[in-house]
Amino acid sequence: MTTGFASGRVLRPTTKVLPEHARGHNRSLVLQTLYRLGQRSRADIARETGLTRVTVSDLIAELIGENLVIEIGQREDARPGKPATLLDLNRDAFQIVGIDLSEYATFRGALLDLDGKILERAELPLASSVGDAAADKVIALAATLIEKANRPVLGIGVGSPGVVDLAGVVLTAPNLGWIGRDLQGALTERFGLPVIVINDANAAALAEHSFGAAMGDMMLVKIGHGVGSGLLLGGTPLFGSRFAAGEIGHVMVGTNGGEVCVCGKIGCLETWLATPRLDALLAAAMTSDEKNEILREAGERLGIALAPVVGALDLAEIVLSGPTELLDGVLASATIETLRARTMPEFHGNLVLRMTTLGEDIVLRGAAVMVLSGQLGVS
Amino acid sequence: MTTGFASGRVLRPTTKVLPEHARGHNRSLVLQTLYRLGQRSRADIARETGLTRVTVSDLIAELIGENLVIEIGQREDARPGKPATLLDLNRDAFQIVGIDLSEYATFRGALLDLDGKILERAELPLASSVGDAAADKVIALAATLIEKANRPVLGIGVGSPGVVDLAGVVLTAPNLGWIGRDLQGALTERFGLPVIVINDANAAALAEHSFGAAMGDMMLVKIGHGVGSGLLLGGTPLFGSRFAAGEIGHVMVGTNGGEVCVCGKIGCLETWLATPRLDALLAAAMTSDEKNEILREAGERLGIALAPVVGALDLAEIVLSGPTELLDGVLASATIETLRARTMPEFHGNLVLRMTTLGEDIVLRGAAVMVLSGQLGVS
DNA sequence: GTTTGTTCGTAAGGTTTACTAACAAACATG
DNA sequence: CATGTTTGTTAGTAAACCTTACGAACAAAC
């Protein structure tokens, strides 16, 4: 046919939209309003969303029927008019299971409430399991946490290392010996609950955005046994053409030297920043000057690698996740200085680089956010 | 209030959705179907979109009323049943003005039909104009093209160098002496037509996606007097936190040498790749080996700069736009080889790097796509 | 104590949207 | 010529949101 705009997909819509979809959207809008702003009356929500009080009342009735929203009582403050009936999301009605598979020797999980507060914890030593054995441990950990729940479980969120597609299939995760493993399918089948499996760094980026102060255009760099990253662009996670977005551990850095990497290349980001190597170098270093120099060079290399990404994406913020004692200090300073020196100050002068505020729970909390977003938010 | 998921924006919806919005969506869906697939009957469109024949008939009646769609005649092929009435987008009903401000000494524009075919051209020598004088020339060029139109003009699309925000305000464009210039507002006021002003490289990326064979995850690198780029992620242009996404010309490349840039840094991408410098070097070179070495090194530096971006974004494709005689050959080969050598073959082994197929019209055609998308597509 | 004005939540009725069901028109096929 | 198929339209229905109107409950003013 024609070869005009035809071949592209500039015009967005790809599926039909029915009235019920609009309803679902507005329903989520009401939920989100209660979520973000807390206790509100129906009239408040109407003003906030632009919907009428009538429509809000109708949606609220539906949500109360599902036990997602509850009436708190009457507003106390003194103003003219009929006192408002305060509503809130029923934050105690459901619980979420979040699981982090990204640590080297341990699978960690937690039971969270709808606010993301951790209610219970559980962990399972990996004990060098791979393949089916490792997958069985994920299931066992999930089962333990579901048993601890004293409310209906909204769903299970899992942050996995490696490359994970949108259906929750772990395409490759070398450490766990997984290739094309349908972890999401296996968990769904086992528990009959909504399950979301997502890359660990992407989960971490989401958590930082939801719980931390992160803006919508952010890169979270996760440094541990390996080096990975998760990108949030305009508040949305980036997955990439082969679901491998953020995999920067084996990109070569700079044009002068570096060690040989397990992948065969020279001077990959991981050869500079992986924590086992840093720990080993620091242990061998004698003076604190030597130690600082090791950390400074690692930070500088990170800055060199990130500079083109910051420039190309116009990032506002970079967040580091990993061992605080290694990252937070000389290393972080060297990274931001290098970034400033290698990009345009007009555009990136107020680029922020900081540690995550979420500590070790960042991945499992991000996985929980995915569940919440999938179940209560809109597609 | 609560500090839970509240602070983030994980749950998507931010505005209410009314039934009429759904209607607009489905309307665009029908238009897009005719656009992509060409002549179809109402029943064909119903099958294609999932809407019912009744709904499609209703939408089509509306579109015919606006002269956007026309009945072509009856389908000729011999099959049972009532013969279908073929429809098509009224590709001759409107025309679009596209303008490219990115060339160094000339503003170029064209009148296009809805298929993106160029009907008329016009250009205006910039003659070193800056500020108001340069803006006046844009208006004059647009006026010239609008006069040439023999159909209603759907809108005006402008691809401008520099940083352009979502409202079409050129925040900074050094070559044109523009700072915070509301070009979109000025054109709208002058002509009373829909106007879209967008960064030149973003426009080019859109054009490559619409007319060329580009996938949804692509970076278009535009090399000329300066070096810029436009990113398409999942088919959507990326603008960045300060609307400066793609501005990679002044990112430092590598860690060994380079020339001092006008910006003060050493070894910016532009110092390796800007065409005036390449031309000068090539003119000074004696042997073809020397020339090839110049191009090879330039290509290698581009690859070094892009490798972290390819890794972080998991790009599928990189498209080069600029002087073919410089880019297409040794330089492009060196770039892709460098990229392959510096990234993970498992993920980026089938990364494609190629020249644009759209030549010098890429920016103005992309600007026209923006108009089409804004007027006929959905938000 | 009464009146006035405000705010809240609900009820009733109307509009828009897209759906299902049914049908006439127009054709191919046996 | 009878039958079956496909097209596009008409008529009626369900869902979603809107506007309008109203009772309830309160503060403030008199």
Side-chain angles (χ1 to χ4, degrees):
Chain A
M1 258 313 325
T2 168
T3 54
F5 302 114
S7 44
R9 257 138 293 142
V10 174
L11 301 170
R12 288 301 138 54
T14 58
T15 53
K16 64 175 174 177
V17 168
L18 303 182
E20 66 205 69
H21 296 134
R23 174 85 170 180
H25 183 98
N26 288 335
R27 191 188 121 108
S28 289
L29 180 58
V30 168
L31 273 176
Q32 185 188 14
T33 303
L34 276 178
Y35 220 81
R36 297 192 357 188
L37 306 178
Q39 303 185 355
R40 295 284 140 138
S41 70
R42 294 169 174 84
D44 291 333
I45 296 172
R47 278 185 292 266
E48 194 78 30
T49 59
L51 296 163
T52 60
R53 290 202 305 271
V54 179
T55 302
V56 170
S57 279
D58 191 42
L59 288 165
I60 288 290
E62 181 182 311
L63 293 168
I64 288 178
E66 297 174 29
N67 199 26
L68 278 169
V69 168
I70 47 174
E71 292 192 340
I72 301 291
Q74 289 203 343
R75 179 177 274 148
E76 292 298 330
D77 57 352
R79 33 178 210 179
K82 178 180 170 180
T85 313
L86 288 178
L87 306 163
D88 200 354
L89 215 137
N90 192 352
R91 295 178 144 84
D92 190 38
F94 295 93
Q95 294 171 347
I96 303 175
V97 170
I99 294 180
D100 175 6
L101 312 182
S102 69
E103 281 188 31
Y104 189 64
T106 308
F107 286 167
R108 291 170 26 118
L111 191 68
L112 303 93
D113 65 14
L114 292 189
D115 268 338
K117 196 174 64 189
I118 291 180
L119 307 172
E120 297 276 352
R121 293 177 183 279
E123 52 181 75
L124 211 52
L126 188 47
S128 305
S129 313
V130 293
D132 289 343
D136 287 345
K137 294 210 169 177
V138 178
I139 290 175
L141 183 56
T144 302
L145 287 162
I146 289 171
E147 268 178 34
K148 295 192 182 204
N150 53 11
R151 296 286 185 282
V153 173
L154 195 64
I156 304 169
V158 180
S160 167
V163 177
V164 185
D165 74 10
L166 297 182
V169 177
V170 182
L171 300 180
T172 65
N175 288 345
L176 298 172
W178 288 347
I179 296 176
R181 175 168 291 268
D182 184 6
L183 188 60
Q184 184 167 313
L187 285 165
T188 304
E189 189 178 349
R190 170 68 178 77
F191 296 107
L193 288 172
V195 177
I196 286 185
V197 179
I198 185 178
N199 170 271
D200 56 348
N202 281 330
L206 262 175
E208 192 65 32
H209 184 234
S210 296
F211 299 108
M215 302 287 90
D217 290 86
M218 180 211 59
M219 183 177 201
L220 184 134
V221 181
K222 196 162 177 301
I223 298 171
H225 246 257
V227 176
S229 71
L231 281 158
L232 234 56
L233 300 176
T236 311
L238 178 77
F239 294 100
S241 65
R242 289 193 176 71
F243 315 108
E247 297 289 334
I248 54 170
H250 295 281
V251 169
M252 283 171 61
V253 187
T255 49
N256 59 343
E259 296 179 7
V260 176
C261 182
V262 290
C263 75
K265 295 197 293 292
I266 297 173
C268 289
L269 197 55
E270 279 197 14
T271 68
W272 297 102
L273 280 168
T275 53
R277 204 194 81 102
L278 282 181
D279 285 333
L281 282 178
L282 289 174
M286 308 306 277
T287 70
S288 76
D289 275 3
E290 280 178 28
K291 291 181 199 286
N292 280 344
E293 175 57 22
I294 290 164
L295 293 172
R296 195 203 57 75
E297 175 148 37
E300 183 182 338
R301 291 287 166 165
L302 180 58
I304 293 169
L306 294 186
V309 180
V310 168
L313 301 185
D314 187 21
L315 294 176
E317 195 170 14
I318 293 176
V319 177
L320 300 183
S321 169
T324 307
E325 68 278 12
L326 287 179
L327 306 180
D328 196 12
V330 175
L331 194 152
S333 303
T335 302
I336 184 68
E337 276 168 29
T338 306
L339 276 169
R340 292 248 162 77
R342 296 176 77 95
T343 58
M344 285 209 80
E346 294 91 313
F347 302 148
H348 312 112
N350 30 19
L351 174 72
V352 171
L353 182 139
R354 60 176 177 81
M355 287 294 296
T356 173
T357 54
L358 300 180
E360 300 210 324
D361 296 325
I362 187 166
V363 171
L364 60 85
R365 292 181 82 182
V369 170
M370 284 297 294
V371 171
L372 195 79
S373 173
Q375 296 310 111
L376 305 187
V378 107
S379 72
Chain B
M1 257 313 320
T2 168
T3 53
F5 303 115
S7 44
R9 257 137 291 143
V10 175
L11 301 170
R12 284 305 134 53
T14 58
T15 55
K16 64 175 174 180
V17 168
L18 303 182
E20 65 203 73
H21 297 132
R23 172 89 170 180
H25 183 98
N26 288 334
R27 190 189 122 111
S28 289
L29 179 59
V30 168
L31 271 177
Q32 185 188 15
T33 304
L34 276 178
Y35 220 82
R36 297 191 358 188
L37 306 177
Q39 305 184 356
R40 294 286 142 134
S41 71
R42 292 170 176 82
D44 291 333
I45 296 171
R47 278 186 292 267
E48 195 78 30
T49 59
L51 296 163
T52 61
R53 292 201 305 273
V54 180
T55 303
V56 171
S57 279
D58 192 43
L59 288 165
I60 288 289
E62 179 182 311
L63 293 168
I64 288 179
E66 297 173 31
N67 199 28
L68 278 169
V69 168
I70 47 175
E71 293 194 339
I72 300 290
Q74 288 202 341
R75 179 178 273 148
E76 293 297 332
D77 58 354
R79 38 178 204 177
K82 176 179 170 180
T85 313
L86 289 177
L87 306 163
D88 199 354
L89 214 139
N90 191 353
R91 295 179 147 82
D92 191 37
F94 295 93
Q95 294 171 346
I96 303 175
V97 170
I99 295 180
D100 175 6
L101 311 182
S102 70
E103 282 190 28
Y104 189 64
T106 308
F107 285 167
R108 290 169 27 114
L111 192 68
L112 302 93
D113 66 15
L114 292 189
D115 268 337
K117 197 174 65 189
I118 291 179
L119 307 171
E120 296 277 353
R121 292 178 183 276
E123 51 182 76
L124 211 51
L126 187 47
S128 305
S129 312
V130 293
D132 288 344
D136 287 345
K137 294 208 170 178
V138 179
I139 290 176
L141 182 56
T144 303
L145 287 162
I146 288 172
E147 269 178 31
K148 294 191 183 206
N150 53 13
R151 295 285 185 282
V153 173
L154 194 63
I156 305 169
V158 180
S160 167
V163 178
V164 185
D165 73 11
L166 296 182
V169 176
V170 182
L171 299 180
T172 64
N175 288 345
L176 299 172
W178 289 346
I179 295 176
R181 175 167 291 267
D182 184 6
L183 189 60
Q184 185 166 310
L187 286 164
T188 304
E189 190 178 349
R190 170 69 178 75
F191 296 107
L193 289 171
V195 177
I196 287 185
V197 179
I198 185 177
N199 171 270
D200 55 348
N202 281 329
L206 262 176
E208 192 66 31
H209 184 234
S210 296
F211 299 108
M215 303 288 89
D217 291 85
M218 180 211 60
M219 183 177 199
L220 184 134
V221 181
K222 196 162 178 298
I223 298 171
H225 246 257
V227 176
S229 72
L231 282 158
L232 235 55
L233 300 176
T236 310
L238 177 78
F239 294 101
S241 66
R242 291 193 175 71
F243 315 108
E247 298 288 336
I248 54 170
H250 294 282
V251 168
M252 282 172 63
V253 187
T255 47
N256 60 343
E259 297 180 7
V260 176
C261 181
V262 290
C263 76
K265 296 197 292 291
I266 296 174
C268 289
L269 196 56
E270 279 197 15
T271 68
W272 297 101
L273 280 168
T275 53
R277 204 194 81 102
L278 281 182
D279 285 333
L281 283 179
L282 289 174
M286 309 306 279
T287 70
S288 76
D289 274 2
E290 282 177 25
K291 291 180 199 287
N292 280 345
E293 176 55 22
I294 290 163
L295 293 172
R296 195 203 57 75
E297 175 148 37
E300 184 183 336
R301 290 288 166 166
L302 180 58
I304 293 169
L306 294 185
V309 180
V310 168
L313 302 185
D314 186 21
L315 294 176
E317 195 171 15
I318 293 176
V319 177
L320 300 181
S321 168
T324 306
E325 68 277 11
L326 288 179
L327 306 180
D328 196 9
V330 175
L331 193 153
S333 304
T335 302
I336 186 67
E337 276 168 29
T338 306
L339 276 170
R340 291 246 164 78
R342 296 178 77 94
T343 58
M344 284 209 80
E346 294 93 312
F347 302 149
H348 312 112
N350 31 20
L351 174 71
V352 170
L353 183 139
R354 61 177 175 80
M355 287 294 297
T356 172
T357 54
L358 300 180
E360 300 209 324
D361 296 324
I362 187 167
V363 172
L364 59 86
R365 291 181 83 183
V369 169
M370 283 297 295
V371 171
L372 195 78
S373 173
Q375 297 310 111
L376 305 186
V378 105
S379 70

